[in-house]
Amino acid sequence: MQKKEKKQIGKEIITTSEVTKSFGRFQALKGITAKVYEQEVVVVLGPSGSGKSTFIRTLNRLEPHDSGTIIVDGVELNDDVKNLQYVRSNVGMVFQQFNLFPHLSVLRNITVGPQKVRGLKRGDAEDIAMELLNRVGIPEQASKFPSQLSGGQQQRLAIARALAMQPKIMLFDEPTSALDPEMIKEVLEVMTELAESGMTMICVTHEMGFAKEVADRFLFFDEGLIVEEGTPEHFFTNPQEERTKLFLSQIL
Amino acid sequence: MQNFYKWGFETFFGSVFNTIITLLSLIILFFFINSILGFISTSEWKVVEVNRRLLLIGRMPPEHEYRVWPILWVASYLIMASIKTWGSPSYKDLLFIALGITIVCVIFTTSSTYLWVLTSLLICIFSYVITSFIGKSTTANNKNKKILILLWILLLPIIFTILLIGDGPKPTLWGGFLLNIILACIAIGFGFPLGILFAIGRASTLPAIKIVCTIYIETIRGAPLVAWLLLAWFVLPKFLPQFWGINEVSVVVRAMIILSAFTSAYTAEVIRGGLQSIPKGQIEAADSLNLGYANKMILIVLPQAIRVVIPALISTFIGVFKDTSLVFILALTDLLQVGRIIPEQDPEFFGRQLEALCVVAFLFWIISISLSNLSKKVEKSLGIGIR
């Protein structure tokens, strides 16, 4: 816990207020008000169907929200395309199913964003890509295709792909849920390293060991609302709400 | 050997049912072979021999015939170089190609054209040899690939320049197999990109674009090609604007417009199927990288979507190629029309329809089977990296 004392928590970088989202008649988010600060690692917990995935997907507008406001790095997310582009180029995302581009090589998966969006030259983009592949520990796979990689390697590649855009914030949507148990560790190691480097991260995850280690704050979702929030110590030693207690008793 | 007889007996006469099937097959086979032998023994190929020119280039005036040869040379070079560069042909493939070329040459070479044909053959061999030489160096090979792609794109303009430059023959005089190939190239060359656009349009979330594209596709697909060609014959001039005499364009151009439109509608539906097979996650990943609509489509969605539908796409192209023979409705003499007419023009050839049509069918078959092989090769070479 020593490490967290030292960590500088900066100014607000994501502010949401009363965000709602419905799919047909089902209301997934019923008014989410939350703040995330620079360099903070926030872990989102909750039973399935509680709206936690939907919530982080509204943060880069993969799901447009119905009402309320979302402000990311001082820019409000709305129908304005310029705002959307600003937010998306500053928010990286890692998906449960990796969503790598199967027809592009590992290296090209990473360089496509920097080249097309940030306008880098091919050589520069490839240098960055190799650097990132080193960072996530799979530099020798550069010329292969995603399908030739193991699940853990694929997810690490997905993290490298998102980092290549030099985002200020990283969203993780259950990054280890589709992995075999023996591959979870290698992905969590990369994420831990990323957290320690000071990246602002919001993770939906069920990996409690990882969450306990790196999280600065927990948000507990249930039925489209934030039921409880607090530090990991608070959650593991002294949860207040019945639903939180029930959930923790089920997964611990 | 003992085993072989035993196996044969059991397979063909093992049970009452098998025996009946075997006997029936033998009877059918006998009549089939008998009729083929009968046709071969009585066939007279003079009808083809006399009309070789007509079958290949139709009514193009003899003084313009020289224009066809450069086209053949450019095409031979491109095809052989591409086969070597991308096809990595086995000996079996090469044998097959050589056999096809030989048969075509044997049927269509005359004493006055053998030098031209020989030149084409030499270009084929030269092209293959020089490409395999280039292929030894990776950088040169990559450069060569770019040049070949550029040449393929320029092929149609080159063909038209050669055919039209310096007071060339009127397009209505183009005919025979040349006309089928030109029409098919135009139909596929314009129909394919248009089809991609219509497919994307139909999958669009903007209602106006979606409705326009859907109406276009369903209208074109909703009526037979023959009807559209007749429409082009009678009605199209009234719809086209009157500047520069566009409304009086030759029937060949009208056929090109109709065939391209027809191809684009069918291609669009095939590609739409591919678009629907792309997982939503791919689009979300592209969005989360802020790739933007154009990049997302061109770099992520379309390459995957087209790859999935290559067999259906090539099958559509083969269909279009054969459909070009319907332009006889516009009084154009394409290969099939020539094949139908020639036995009727000279009393000597009465009753020789089968010979003429056999050659016609063979020419169509050669191109179709090549396209089909192309499809197989492309599928195989794109196999790497598929999920």
Side-chain angles (χ1 to χ4, degrees):
Chain A
M1 294 299 127
Q2 216 44 5
K3 176 187 79 217
K4 253 167 248 155
E5 311 288 334
K6 272 189 265 167
K7 199 159 160 183
Q8 293 289 311
I9 300 294
K11 61 180 199 315
E12 276 174 43
I13 193 160
I14 297 179
T15 315
T16 74
S17 121
E18 293 302 320
V19 172
T20 66
K21 170 75 188 175
S22 298
F23 298 102
R25 289 170 67 188
F26 173 71
Q27 198 173 11
L29 300 178
K30 297 174 180 164
I32 303 291
T33 303
K35 282 178 182 168
V36 177
Y37 299 89
E38 269 181 359
Q39 308 218 339
E40 195 180 23
V41 178
V42 175
V43 165
V44 181
L45 293 173
S48 70
S50 60
K52 52 194 194 307
S53 272
T54 309
F55 172 64
I56 75 164
R57 286 158 60 85
T58 58
L59 297 179
N60 64 352
R61 214 173 166 76
L62 285 184
E63 304 286 359
H65 54 288
D66 297 336
S67 69
T69 53
I70 300 175
I71 295 169
V72 179
D73 200 22
V75 174
E76 186 179 350
L77 264 181
N78 50 26
D79 288 331
D80 191 331
V81 178
K82 258 194 183 154
N83 289 2
L84 178 67
Q85 285 182 347
Y86 178 82
V87 170
R88 280 194 178 158
S89 51
N90 284 293
V91 178
M93 185 151 190
V94 175
F95 300 87
Q96 183 178 358
Q97 300 294 342
F98 326 138
N99 295 347
L100 296 168
F101 304 130
H103 61 301
L104 302 178
S105 72
V106 166
L107 196 68
R108 186 90 181 106
N109 259 283
I110 304 180
T111 59
V112 65
Q115 267 182 267
K116 297 297 168 182
V117 183
R118 288 169 57 203
L120 292 187
K121 289 211 182 76
R122 187 172 172 164
D124 298 338
E126 282 177 359
D127 290 345
I128 291 175
M130 281 316 293
E131 221 169 90
L132 285 166
L133 283 177
N134 268 312
R135 189 169 166 190
V136 300
I138 48 169
E140 72 286 354
Q141 313 286 352
S143 57
K144 290 191 184 168
F145 282 90
S147 57
Q148 295 165 299
L149 269 53
S150 73
Q153 290 172 329
Q154 292 193 28
Q155 193 59 298
R156 286 188 277 162
L157 168 58
I159 295 172
R161 178 178 71 177
L163 288 177
M165 297 297 290
Q166 297 189 337
K168 293 180 178 166
I169 304 158
M170 286 284 284
L171 307 176
F172 292 85
D173 187 2
E174 305 202 25
T176 56
S177 299
L179 293 175
D180 292 336
E182 74 270 23
M183 293 172 179
I184 291 176
K185 195 168 151 253
E186 60 191 54
V187 172
L188 292 181
E189 273 168 8
V190 171
M191 288 171 66
T192 309
E193 186 267 325
L194 194 61
E196 282 164 1
S197 75
M199 175 65 74
T200 312
M201 288 164 56
I202 304 177
C203 313
V204 176
T205 184
H206 298 297
E207 293 299 324
M208 296 313 289
F210 162 78
K212 206 171 180 176
E213 189 189 338
V214 303
D216 296 303
R217 196 150 52 90
F218 278 14
L219 298 178
F220 180 72
F221 272 61
D222 196 21
E223 294 181 352
L225 286 168
I226 296 179
V227 177
E228 191 165 354
E229 68 172 286
T231 59
E233 296 94 83
H234 166 83
F235 260 75
F236 288 112
T237 55
N238 188 22
Q240 298 296 307
E241 301 286 328
E242 275 312 307
R243 279 184 285 182
T244 318
K245 285 178 194 163
L246 182 69
F247 176 75
L248 289 171
S249 72
Q250 277 165 348
I251 64 165
L252 285 178
Chain B
M1 217 52 201
Q2 198 74 39
N3 270 339
F4 180 75
Y5 285 126
K6 202 177 158 212
W7 170 84
F9 186 80
E10 273 176 10
T11 311
F12 293 110
F13 303 101
S15 68
V16 179
F17 181 69
N18 279 1
T19 314
I20 293 173
I21 295 282
T22 306
L23 288 178
L24 269 179
S25 309
L26 280 178
I27 292 168
I28 292 171
L29 211 62
F30 171 76
F31 279 107
F32 187 65
I33 292 175
N34 193 30
S35 63
I36 286 187
L37 283 178
F39 167 65
I40 291 176
S41 62
T42 60
S43 63
E44 284 254 9
W45 297 93
K46 202 167 173 223
V47 60
V48 176
E49 207 180 316
V50 172
N51 292 299
R52 286 184 282 208
R53 226 188 116 256
L54 220 49
L55 283 167
L56 287 185
I57 57 173
R59 290 177 300 173
M60 183 173 303
E63 65 268 27
H64 289 300
E65 202 182 294
Y66 68 91
R67 291 168 188 274
V68 177
W69 296 105
I71 294 176
L72 184 63
W73 295 338
V74 175
S76 318
Y77 181 85
L78 263 179
I79 290 170
M80 288 311 285
S82 304
I83 286 174
K84 178 63 195 163
T85 310
W86 287 288
S88 50
S90 61
Y91 284 110
K92 210 177 98 193
D93 297 335
L94 286 177
L95 203 69
F96 178 79
I97 294 165
L99 195 70
I101 293 176
T102 316
I103 295 177
V104 173
C105 288
V106 165
I107 299 178
F108 291 102
T109 312
T110 58
S111 54
S112 60
T113 58
Y114 79 96
L115 270 179
W116 301 96
V117 173
L118 208 62
T119 317
S120 315
L121 287 179
L122 285 177
I123 286 177
C124 281
I125 295 166
F126 166 78
S127 156
Y128 190 85
V129 171
I130 195 136
T131 315
S132 28
F133 188 70
I134 291 170
K136 282 176 187 159
S137 137
T138 319
T139 45
N141 199 27
N142 286 340
K143 205 168 266 177
N144 190 40
K145 275 183 187 171
K146 275 179 195 157
I147 295 172
L148 284 179
I149 290 171
L150 189 71
L151 274 176
W152 273 112
I153 295 170
L154 287 176
L155 183 63
L156 273 176
I158 291 174
I159 291 180
F160 284 116
T161 314
I162 295 173
L163 279 176
L164 296 170
I165 200 168
D167 218 15
K170 279 190 299 184
T172 34
L173 290 178
W174 300 348
F177 202 37
L178 179 71
L179 181 66
N180 290 93
I181 288 176
I182 289 179
L183 287 175
C185 288
I186 287 276
I188 294 166
F190 284 94
F192 180 46
L194 271 178
I196 292 176
L197 291 181
F198 281 119
I200 293 175
R202 193 169 180 178
S204 163
T205 47
L206 300 172
I209 295 176
K210 190 183 169 116
I211 289 171
V212 168
C213 292
T214 310
I215 290 176
Y216 172 86
I217 293 169
E218 294 305 339
T219 312
I220 300 274
R221 290 200 318 159
L225 179 55
V226 178
W228 288 115
L229 287 170
L230 283 173
L231 207 71
W233 181 232
F234 297 114
V235 187
L236 193 61
K238 295 197 178 113
F239 275 104
L240 291 170
Q242 297 201 338
F243 334 110
W244 311 306
I246 290 180
N247 56 333
E248 288 161 14
V249 287
S250 91
V251 280
V252 177
V253 180
R254 288 187 226 170
M256 287 172 178
I257 293 172
I258 293 296
L259 283 168
S260 304
F262 201 72
T263 312
S264 72
Y266 275 86
T267 319
E269 279 303 277
V270 170
I271 291 173
R272 194 168 68 97
L275 290 178
Q276 282 172 346
S277 76
I278 303 300
K280 208 174 151 225
Q282 291 290 310
I283 291 160
E284 289 179 351
D287 281 341
S288 78
L289 290 175
N290 192 27
L291 276 181
Y293 187 76
N295 279 327
K296 178 171 71 182
M297 280 297 164
I298 295 169
L299 297 171
I300 308 301
V301 178
L302 280 176
Q304 297 186 60
I306 291 174
R307 174 175 303 184
V308 174
V309 297
I310 281 173
L313 209 53
I314 299 277
S315 157
T316 309
F317 291 166
I318 291 176
V320 167
F321 170 63
K322 291 183 294 185
D323 281 349
T324 56
S325 58
L326 283 172
V327 294
F328 78 88
I329 287 170
L330 304 180
L332 295 170
T333 41
D334 80 300
L335 175 63
L336 182 60
Q337 184 69 350
V338 174
R340 264 160 33 111
I341 290 173
I342 48 174
E344 295 166 6
Q345 283 187 329
D346 192 328
E348 190 194 342
F349 302 138
F350 282 171
R352 292 293 165 204
Q353 279 89 351
L354 198 50
E355 284 86 341
L357 289 178
C358 272
V359 171
V360 168
F362 174 73
L363 283 176
F364 276 114
W365 181 81
I366 279 274
I367 299 285
S368 300
I369 200 82
S370 308
L371 279 174
S372 156
N373 272 322
L374 174 80
S375 146
K376 261 190 235 159
K377 285 276 177 198
V378 173
E379 269 174 69
K380 227 180 187 175
S381 71
L382 291 181
I384 309 166
I386 289 189
R387 73 190 79 245

